């Protein structure tokens, strides 16, 4: 039916050859390439000439990081225009580590290395000497220590500590060498560090001035009042915010820093201390300026992108927008790249297995019900109507490129078999008593299920409409109600909904082992509804929520092993046990995975890879070296 | 200026006669307002469609066609590609052009496939007014025919059919809402105007307060407060109540003003002296005396309700699929992509405009007709 | 004022002579004929009454004179010869209603007092403003001070106390009588020669009515104005005018000196009208309202317009033909088959 | 007069008090609160958010206090001119609102001017030439304007503006001018963008005003004082201007005070469709997220504006209409 080749590609197996081989390895440095000469963007020449900036060699680290461009050595200059809220697409954070292009690796970035010892209880990080903040200060172990001790562990600023860091300490071995010491083995912390960019580092030299541990609280309070913020805490938040940079010019590690900002527009300029160069010794990034514009709605974003108004965009676009983008490609001088979303299922249907109402809980906990619901879905129809037939109908499980993947996980109860579904429902005693075409609960009362959901990210609305229609065809009526994000969060957290949906991210190797919350009740949040009260039980050490049955306790057990072990084989084994349980029990129901996502790239923007994964797991563009993208100066472009 | 005062009614002629002749006069005057008559006919047609949508619609409202997603409107033809005339209308087949991996869903007419149109034919089964099941349709074509007079939506559902079904909700929401509005408006406005004093002050303040709060936030808050598990019918009434909650203030003001001026008129005073109960005075003496005005206002208030329903749907806080209403249908059309790639999705908007226009014009005609001093 | 002035053509040329005036209005409901050949005449300084029930076309006739008919009304026939101050005779029916000439005649030569002083004044302009405007329009030479002096003088003349203050009141601040006095002052402000008073007292209290009428009478006498008093109230006419036209459905059915009309009404309609007036009917007699209503002007009866209500019909002829005008005595004429030749013979 | 104003101002106080309670209720009515929205944001930034974190944050923002306390805290600040701090935007509400108010005012003024400049003459003409061709055309167009949902009109105009005139979609400036300093060509660029929202926002109001003007004028034209003035020999054109129009304009005046608050919130839908940097979308956003201080202060401000606007209108009306003044 479908082109084999196309299928292979869309299945998520973007081959290694899609990207430069060096992207899969720790980056080389200037000395390894043999670079001795470095160049800078001409826009900085004046500042260097007048002495406002030191020469480029002095600004770069001792041994600059070499980033290899996707296609070609770029040219300096230009202004990229992007949507507000998409800034990080061109301005990736400068963290110690970064995520590899296939979402399996965590690669050193500003760190030279990170090594676990003591059975995963100690992580020693060696920073590259001479990496600087955008104000010229050196990045040192102090900055990590400050973040952990004074931001992460200050209960006024961060009310609750990230679980992995609870009880951790930092030990400095020198300006560029330090160790995290954890209370228990945290071998997955490196993945976390890579995925979260620059979350665990802060400019200590700058922030001390605004922190009560270093500056008089009363003075801070006074200053807060003058600024019109409520207290020193909020004041610190504003100062430290990467969104409110303008007033304070908080130093950054990313390629760009803000120069002007209003509530609707902002302008960013290259960071003169950015520590990376291209293989010819040109300091990155290539593009001098980024301008962002605030656009309120996704609809206008896609309209603007389709008329060629932005250099790079993709966030908030929908699969259904693809024809629009394709239609105006030539006319408006851009290309539409189709990047798959690395999600186990674009839409995952979750019944509330810990529903407060015992009647419904009983039905939802019956594996026959969940299997029947999964078998009743005509995934091919969803694929045809919503995905142009170009995505992968599958059960919820990890993406195919994952080391935890087995094909049978994706096939489990994913075929369309309404007869079998009806049979299963009949077996359960869910039969249509009054002959209105809708099944009643075994007690003869109406089976009243409401699906509450919020939109965004993936084609949720059409999928929900189709799937509930499919369920209606086997006699299970599900009411739908679209609710606000805020409400989704409250009700999912509290486990109050009958059922809900989300997009099943965290199904690639970078996040699956850390947060396998689709499969294990280890997290309470807006996304997973299915296990909420079991998860609360687990997180509270058995004091709150609801005690899970043994099979669920088994899942938790496996995960406990998985997250602590440094043995890769054991980790994969545990992961597969967990996923096999999902394939057997269909804890939640997947429909279509690896959905095509439109990424709109202006023709003058070069070095953007044709292929990539688009989503939370990859942090969108981050693994694909946006710092090496450049603007071809306007000439006759084809 | 021919001193054309209406015939003075003798006191013993009784109010009924005056009443009847007032309506007759109104009708006579209304009939002369040609535009209003046309608008009236448009409304009748729309409501006819709403009442008999199951029969008129060739397909089911929820019926999907997976190979005709966002298919443009198809032409019903009498003349074939060769130029020959046929008495039986027919459709040509439609197929997608190009490769699915082009990502462009474009359709071309396939003249090699012909689907004749049948009248009074069997089609998808439905339950007429929830009373009995049947499958008779006014017209239809063979299964799989692209009988999409207004094209299809993003799930491949026939828009013509859905607009018809949608009119049932959209056109009644106005009527039900206005009825509610008027109940509240007349009650509160009447009470305030008739009794005056502190009751009046309270009602007046209440009106002022409600009018002072911007409409959208009130809508949002109220609709967010509708319980999640409510079935569609309850939501429908909930939305209607929300819409009416805003609407009554204007009418209450008018009614209050009328009552204020009328409560001291002779016939009211006479009734009061005769010991008639106050409420009875309101309903038997005051209300009928400006009923024509009230009905005219009602007609003019319906459009606000219809538009309100679409605005709520726009904000995603109104009715939701699977309920089919014009607002729900328009939700799919509210982006640039629809305007460019599938403009037929805007057709429900045209129906909204038509209905609202017609109501306004009819109301205008009624106002002219009801005004005894009209030229 | 009770000189038996005849209204014949002999003697001085009349100030105004209206001949066979017909007006037609186009309505959505069809054509309406409010005036169907009205003829009357006013001499300089003479006061004339036009009497009839509501709907008989009295007001239409005065509006036709000033050419301020409603938009879709038109004069289809007849003439309105008016002798201007300068001595020219012009046919008002031929003038362009929008023309400068016509506007000069309105107010300047012919002034009007309307029936409802409450609404006849603009509510958002002061009395002073509106009277001064009248002066300004017809005497462009008068400067602000002159205007003010004359406004106060006029108000004083019509008997408004404290005119300096009252002039700057709005109409709704004045009592009904005061308003009508102000209206009279405004009508007189431009020094007209013909004053049309259209039901000047209907909207007033009885006690005030007499005083306002007295005022009109006084002003007419003092300024030697011609007065055209339009009213349904024969009682008013009796005291105010010397000559009376009785109108019915857009026609004059009887005309004559006021004594002749009152003492010797010929037309059954006139007689009926007289019987329905309280202060003229003797105390012993019962009031007799006229049977039935005035037929609507869009469905005029055939023949004599009054036949539908007439209690003294001559015969079928009444609903077949229009009776001719018959002069019974000097200045007293009637249109009724009872007095046409054949009927007279019978009598 | 002074007495009247004083009495009205005094009456405003209880009204505003009730409104403030109502506004507070409106924001509290939907389930959930700002913390949940704030969490969404944190999660986007990659911060771990657990139930414990939520509870801690609720405590920090005093969301566990009794409602009346929360209300008192909010209204107390409001009375002192402190509109509070937007949790969602991380800025003071005063700052947020002021920043967008400029464009809102610009848009509102343009839309109102457009509405009045069209509605006024056309309405007058329609009334003077009732049932003429132009009257019919104006009537139908006005009804069309009233009948078209604003978001549809905005969408279609936006597309036509792009397809026919090449006006870039969304916003008030072309990209090349957005960050540029003010100069002539930036102004022209602004005007090029401005007309679509101005037309969309103005249309419904214009249509309504046109009908009101026509109806009022028709009413007034039938009044006896028009006959009086005509009988005075006044030229008909001057007459219409001096008398009936002068009175027919009063309803316009009585709505002047409401224009701003209505357009600020009413323009929200259009602003969302056209992606305009006005206050409307900000208000909706804050309501959606239950950003208490932003939404609450905003709403209360609008309501106060409406109440004050009504009073101003009434005073203005009393100034121009002696009937009200001397009541």
């Amino acid at each position: 039916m479908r082109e084999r080749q196309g299928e292979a590609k869309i299945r998520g197996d973007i081959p290694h050859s899609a990207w430069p081989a060096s992207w899969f390895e720790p980056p080389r440095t200037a000395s390894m390439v043999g670079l001795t000469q470095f160049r800078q963007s001409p826009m900085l020449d004046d500042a260097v000439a007048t002495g406002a900036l030191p020469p480029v060699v002095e600004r770069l680290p001792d041994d600059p990081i070499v980033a290899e461009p996707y296609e070609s050595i770029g040219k300096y200059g230009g202004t990229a225009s992007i949507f507000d809220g998409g800034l990080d697409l061109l301005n990736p954070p400068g963290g110690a580590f970064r995520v590899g292009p296939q979402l399996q690796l965590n690669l050193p970035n500003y760190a030279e290395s990170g090594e676990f010892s003591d059975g995963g209880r100690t992580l020693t990080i060696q920073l590259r000497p001479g990496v600087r903040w955008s104000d010229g200060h050196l990045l040192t172990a102090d900055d990590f220590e400050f973040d952990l001790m004074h931001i992460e562990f200050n209960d006024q600023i961060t009310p609750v500590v990230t679980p992995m860091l609870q009880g951790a300490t930092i030990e400095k071995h020198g300006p560029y060498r330090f160790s995290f010491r954890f209370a228990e083995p945290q071998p997955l912390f490196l993945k976390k560090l890579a995925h979260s960019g620059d979350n665990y580092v802060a400019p200590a030299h700058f922030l001390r001035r605004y922190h009560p541990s270093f500056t008089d609280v009363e003075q801070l309070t006074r200053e807060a009042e003058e600024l019109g913020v409520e207290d020193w805490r909020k004041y610190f938040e504003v100062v430290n915010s990467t969104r409110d940079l303008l007033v304070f010019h908080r130093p950054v590690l990313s390629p760009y820093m803000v120069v002007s900002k209003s509530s609707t527009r902002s302008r960013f300029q290259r960071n003169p201390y950015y520590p990376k160069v291209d293989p010819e010794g040109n300091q990155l990034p290539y593009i001098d300026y980024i301008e962002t514009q605030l656009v309120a709605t996704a609809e206008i974003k896609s309209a603007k992108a389709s008329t060629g108004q932005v250099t790079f965009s993709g966030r908030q676009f929908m699969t259904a927008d693809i024809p629009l983008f394709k239609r105006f490609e030539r006319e408006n001088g851009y290309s539409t790249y189709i990047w798959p979303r690395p999600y186990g299922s674009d839409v995952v249907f979750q019944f509330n297995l810990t529903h407060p109402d015992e009647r419904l809980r009983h039905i939802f906990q019956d594996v026959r019900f969940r299997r029947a619901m999964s078998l009743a879905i005509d995934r091919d129809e969803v694929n045809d109507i919503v995905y142009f037939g170009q995505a992968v109908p599958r059960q919820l499980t990890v993406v195919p490129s994952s080391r935890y993947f087995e094909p049978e996980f994706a096939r489990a109860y994913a075929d369309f078999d309404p007869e079998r579904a009806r049979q299963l429902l009949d077996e359960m005693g869910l039969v249509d008593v009054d002959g209105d075409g809708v099944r009643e609960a075994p007690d003869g009362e109406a089976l009243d299920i409401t699906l509450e959901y919020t939109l965004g990210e993936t084609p949720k609305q059409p999928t929900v409409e189709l799937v509930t229609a499919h369920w209606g065809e086997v006699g299970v009526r599900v009411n739908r109600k679209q609710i606000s994000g805020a409400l989704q969060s409250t009700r999912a957290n509290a486990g109050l909904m009958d059922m809900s949906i989300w997009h099943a991210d965290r199904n690639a190797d970078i996040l699956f082992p850390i947060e396998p919350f689709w499969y294990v009740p280890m997290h309470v949040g807006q996304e997973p509804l299915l296990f909420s009260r079991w998860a609360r039980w687990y997180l509270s050490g058995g004091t709150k929520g609801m005690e899970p049955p043994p099979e669920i306790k088994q899942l938790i057990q496996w995960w406990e092993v998985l997250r602590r072990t440094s043995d890769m084989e054991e980790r994969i084994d545990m992961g597969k046990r967990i996923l096999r349980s999902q394939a057997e029990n269909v804890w939640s129901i997947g429909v279509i995975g690896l959905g095509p996502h439109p990424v709109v790239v202006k023709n003058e923007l070069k070095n953007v890879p044709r292929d990539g994964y688009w989503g939370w797991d990859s942090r969108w563009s981050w693994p694909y070296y946006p710092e090496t993208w450049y603007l071809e100066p306007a000439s006759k472009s084809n | 200026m021919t001193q054309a005062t209406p015939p003075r009614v003798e006191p013993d002629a009784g109010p009924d006669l005056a009443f009847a002749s007032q309506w007759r006069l109104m009708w006579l005057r209304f009939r002369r307002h040609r535009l209003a008559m046309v608008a009236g006919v448009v409304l009748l047609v729309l409501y006819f469609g709403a009442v008999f949508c199951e029969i008129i619609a060739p397909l089911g409202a929820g019926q999907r066609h997976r190979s005709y997603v966002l298919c443009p409107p198809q032409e019903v033809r009498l003349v074939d590609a060769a130029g020959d005339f046929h008495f039986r209308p027919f459709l040509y087949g439609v197929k997608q052009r190009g490769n699915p991996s082009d990502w462009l869903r474009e359709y071309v007419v396939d003249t090699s496939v012909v689907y004749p149109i049948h009248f009074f034919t069997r089609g998808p089964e439905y339950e007429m007014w929830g009373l009995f099941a049947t499958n008779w349709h006014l017209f239809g074509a063979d299964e799989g025919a692209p009988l999409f007079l207004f094209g299809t939506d993003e799930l491949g559902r026939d828009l013509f059919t859905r607009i018809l079904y949608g009119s049932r909700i959209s056109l009644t929401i106005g009527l039900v809402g206005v009825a509610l509005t008027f109940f509240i408006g007349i009650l509160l406005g009447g009470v305030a105007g008739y009794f005056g004093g502190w009751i009046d002050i309270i009602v007046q303040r209440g009106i002022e307060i409600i009018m002072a709060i911007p409409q959208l936030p009130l809508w949002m808050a109220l609709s967010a407060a509708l319980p999640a598990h409510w079935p569609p019918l309850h939501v429908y009434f909930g939305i209607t109540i929300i819409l009416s909650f805003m609407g009554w203030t204007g009418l209450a003001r008018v009614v209050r003003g009328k009552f204020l001026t009328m409560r001291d008129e002779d016939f009211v005073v006479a009734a009061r002296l005769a010991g008639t109960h106050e409420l009875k005075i309101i309903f038997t003496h005051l209300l009928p005396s400006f009923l024509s005005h009230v009905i005219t206002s009602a007609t003019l208030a319906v459009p606000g309700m219809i538009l309100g329903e679409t605005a709520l749907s726009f904000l995603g806080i109104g009715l939701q699929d699977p309920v089919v209403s014009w607002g729900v249908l328009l939700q799919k059309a509210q982006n640039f992509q629809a305007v460019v790639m599938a403009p037929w999705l805007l057709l429900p908007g045209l129906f909204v405009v038509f209905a609202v226009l017609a109501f306004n014009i009819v109301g205008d005609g009624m106002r002219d007709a009801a005004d005894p001093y009209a030229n | 004022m009770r000189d038996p002035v005849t209204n014949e053509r002999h003697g001085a040329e009349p100030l105004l002579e209206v001949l066979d005036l017909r007006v037609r209005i186009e309505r959505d409901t069809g054509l309406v004929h409010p005036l169907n050949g009205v003829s009357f005449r006013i001499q300089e300084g003479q006061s004339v009454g036009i009497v009839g029930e509501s709907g008989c076309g009295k007001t239409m006739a005065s509006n036709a004179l000033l050419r301020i008919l409603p938009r879709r009304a038109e004069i289809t026939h007849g003439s309105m010869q008016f002798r201007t101050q300068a001595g020219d005779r012009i046919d008002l029916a031929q003038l362009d209603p929008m023309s400068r000439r016509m506007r000069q005649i309105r107010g300047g030569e012919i002034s009007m007092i309307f029936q409802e002083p409450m609404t006849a004044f603009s509510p958002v302009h002061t009395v002073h403003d509106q009277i001064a405007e009248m002066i300004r329009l017809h005497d462009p030479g008068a400067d602000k001070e002159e205007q003010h002096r004359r406004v106060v003088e006029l108000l004083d003349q019509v008997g408004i106390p404290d005119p300096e203050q009252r002039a700057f009141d709005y109409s709704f601040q004045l009592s009904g009588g005061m308003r009508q006095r102000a209206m009279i002052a405004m009508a007189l402000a431009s020094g007209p020669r013909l004053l049309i008073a259209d039901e000047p007292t209907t909207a007033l209290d009885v006690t005030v009515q007499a005083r306002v009428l007295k005022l009109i009478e006084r002003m007419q006498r003092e300024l030697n104005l011609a007065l055209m008093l339009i009213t349904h109230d024969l009682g008013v006419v009796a005291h105010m005018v010397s000559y009376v036209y009785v109108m019915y459905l857009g026609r004059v059915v009887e005309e004559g000196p006021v004594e002749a009309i009152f003492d010797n009404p010929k037309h059954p309609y006139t007689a009926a009208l007289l019987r329905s007036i309280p202060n003229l009917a003797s105390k012993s007699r019962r009031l007799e309202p006229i049977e039935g209503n005035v037929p609507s002007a869009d469905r005029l009866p055939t023949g004599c317009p009054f036949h539908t209500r007439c209690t003294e019909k001559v015969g079928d002829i009444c609903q077949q033909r229009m009776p001719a005008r018959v002069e019974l005595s000097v200045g007293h004429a009637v249109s009724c088959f009872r007095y046409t030749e054949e009927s007279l013979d019978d009598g | 007069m002074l007495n009247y104003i004083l009495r009205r101002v005094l009456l405003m106080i209880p009204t505003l008090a009730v409104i403030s309670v109502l506004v507070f209720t409106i924001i509290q009515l939907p389930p959930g609160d700002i913390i949940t929205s704030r969490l969404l944001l944190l999660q986007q930034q990659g911060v771990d958010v657990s139930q414990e974190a939520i509870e801690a944050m609720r405590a920090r923002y005093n969301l566990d206090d009794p409602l009346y306390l929360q209300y008192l805290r909010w209204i107390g600040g409001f009375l002192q001119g402190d509109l509070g701090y937007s949790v969602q935007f991380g800025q003071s509400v005063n700052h947020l609102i002021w920043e967008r108010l400029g464009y809102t005012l610009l848009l509102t003024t343009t839309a109102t001017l457009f509405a009045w400049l069209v509605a006024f003459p056309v309405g007058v003409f329609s009334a003077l030439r009732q049932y003429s061709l132009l009257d019919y055309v104006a009537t139908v167009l006005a009804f069309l304007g009233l009948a078209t949902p604003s978001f549809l009109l905005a969408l279609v105009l936006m597309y036509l503006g792009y397809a026919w005139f090449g006006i870039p979609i969304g916003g008030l400036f072309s990209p090349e001018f957005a960050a540029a300093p003010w100069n002539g060509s930036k102004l022209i660029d602004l005007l090029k963008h401005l007309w679509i929202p101005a037309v969309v926002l103005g249309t419904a109001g214009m249509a309504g005003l046109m009908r009101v003007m026509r109806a009022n004028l028709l009413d007034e034209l039938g009044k006896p004082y028009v006959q009086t003035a005509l009988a005075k020999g006044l030229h008909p054109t001057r007459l219409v201007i001096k008398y009936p129009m002068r009175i027919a304009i009063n309803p316009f005046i009585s709505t002047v005070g409401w224009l701003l608050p209505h357009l600020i919130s009413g323009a929200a839908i259009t602003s969302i469709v056209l992606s305009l940097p006005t206050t409307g979308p900000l208000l909706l956003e804050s309501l959606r997220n239950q950003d208490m201080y932003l939404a609450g202060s905003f709403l209360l401000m609008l309501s106060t504006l409406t109440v004050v606007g009504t009073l101003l209108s009434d005073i203005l009306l009393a100034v121009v209409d002696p009937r009200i003044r001397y009541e």
Side-chain angles (χ1 to χ4, degrees), chain B residues 117-138:
Chain B
I117 303 240
H118 305 286
F119 291 94
F120 299 103
T121 178
R122 289 177 187 278
E125 191 162 296
Y126 55 86
E127 206 156 281
M128 190 69 202
W129 298 334
L131 295 178
F132 54 92
T134 173
N135 58 3
W136 281 104
H137 290 261
L138 182 64

Side-chain angles (χ1 to χ4, degrees), chain A residues 116 118-122 182-188 563-566:
Chain A
F116 282 102
D118 196 12
R121 283 187 177 82
T122 302
F182 303 104
E184 54 176 352
Q186 296 293 2
L188 299 172
R563 74 185 180 93
R564 284 195 178 90
T565 182
S566 297

Side-chain angles (χ1 to χ4, degrees), chain D residues 23-324:
Chain D
V23 163
F24 188 77
T25 317
I26 283 177
I27 292 155
Q28 299 291 337
L29 200 53
D33 55 46
I34 177 65
I35 292 308
T36 49
S37 333
R38 174 76 173 148
L39 294 179
L40 294 184
L41 206 85
L42 287 174
Q43 260 164 345
Q44 269 170 26
Q45 292 169 347
V47 175
D48 271 314
V49 178
S50 62
Q51 185 61 26
E52 286 66 31
I54 294 172
E55 275 154 22
M57 282 187 78
R58 287 184 60 85
R60 180 201 283 183
Y61 288 101
N62 303 314
L63 290 172
D64 294 321
D65 285 357
L67 280 179
Y68 72 90
L69 258 181
Q70 294 189 42
Y71 168 77
L72 288 178
R73 196 174 301 121
W74 165 63
I75 198 75
F78 188 88
L79 289 177
Q80 289 162 28
D82 173 16
L83 305 188
Y85 197 85
S86 160
V87 178
Q88 187 196 1
F89 288 87
Q91 288 179 338
S92 81
V93 171
N94 301 45
H95 179 76
L96 272 172
I97 292 181
W98 278 116
E99 198 172 9
R100 283 167 172 248
L101 215 53
Y103 286 117
T104 309
L105 279 176
L106 174 73
L107 204 62
T108 309
T109 318
T110 322
T112 311
L113 270 180
F114 166 74
W116 282 40
L117 285 181
V118 178
F120 205 79
V122 175
V124 169
F125 192 88
S126 241
L128 292 181
R129 296 275 177 278
Q130 201 187 2
Y131 302 127
S132 66
L133 183 67
L134 190 126
D135 180 31
Y136 277 120
V137 171
T139 301
V140 169
L141 284 183
F143 278 143
L144 261 179
L146 284 173
T148 313
S150 59
F151 66 88
L152 261 184
L153 190 64
L155 261 176
V156 171
L157 279 183
M158 179 172 76
Y159 173 66
L160 294 183
Y162 168 71
W164 293 353
F165 306 110
I167 298 170
I169 286 174
L172 281 178
F173 297 102
S174 307
E176 61 270 30
F177 288 110
W182 279 103
N183 58 31
S185 31
K186 183 168 180 174
L187 190 69
I188 291 170
D189 184 61
L190 173 66
L191 292 178
K192 259 170 45 186
H193 283 72
L194 200 57
W195 72 267
I196 291 179
V199 166
V200 175
L201 286 180
T203 297
M206 175 189 76
L209 283 176
M210 203 192 279
R211 296 305 294 169
V212 169
M213 187 70 210
R214 178 181 181 272
N216 285 340
L217 198 55
L218 276 178
D219 257 13
E220 293 301 325
L221 283 174
K223 293 267 173 78
Y225 68 81
V226 175
Q227 288 274 334
T228 313
L230 209 54
K232 279 156 88 173
L234 201 57
H235 189 280
T237 312
R238 288 198 45 201
L239 186 153
V240 168
I241 293 170
K242 180 167 179 187
Y243 293 102
M245 218 145 92
R246 169 77 177 63
I247 298 174
I249 206 170
N250 285 355
F252 279 66
I253 293 170
S254 68
T255 57
V256 159
W258 287 2
L259 271 177
L260 187 62
H262 270 213
L263 280 172
I264 287 178
S265 65
I269 289 183
T270 308
S271 290
I272 289 173
V273 173
L274 298 177
S275 185
L276 302 176
T278 58
T279 45
L282 189 69
L283 173 63
L284 285 193
E285 193 59 23
S286 62
L287 278 165
R288 281 214 176 109
N289 294 308
Q290 295 182 279
D291 195 346
M292 173 62 212
Y293 282 104
L294 184 51
S297 304
F298 211 147
L299 269 183
L300 190 52
M301 224 175 73
L302 283 181
S303 309
T304 312
L305 268 181
T306 313
V307 174
V308 174
T310 313
L311 176 64
L312 284 181
S313 279
D314 287 354
I315 293 174
L316 205 62
L317 205 58
V319 170
V320 298
D321 194 335
R323 284 171 296 183
I324 292 165

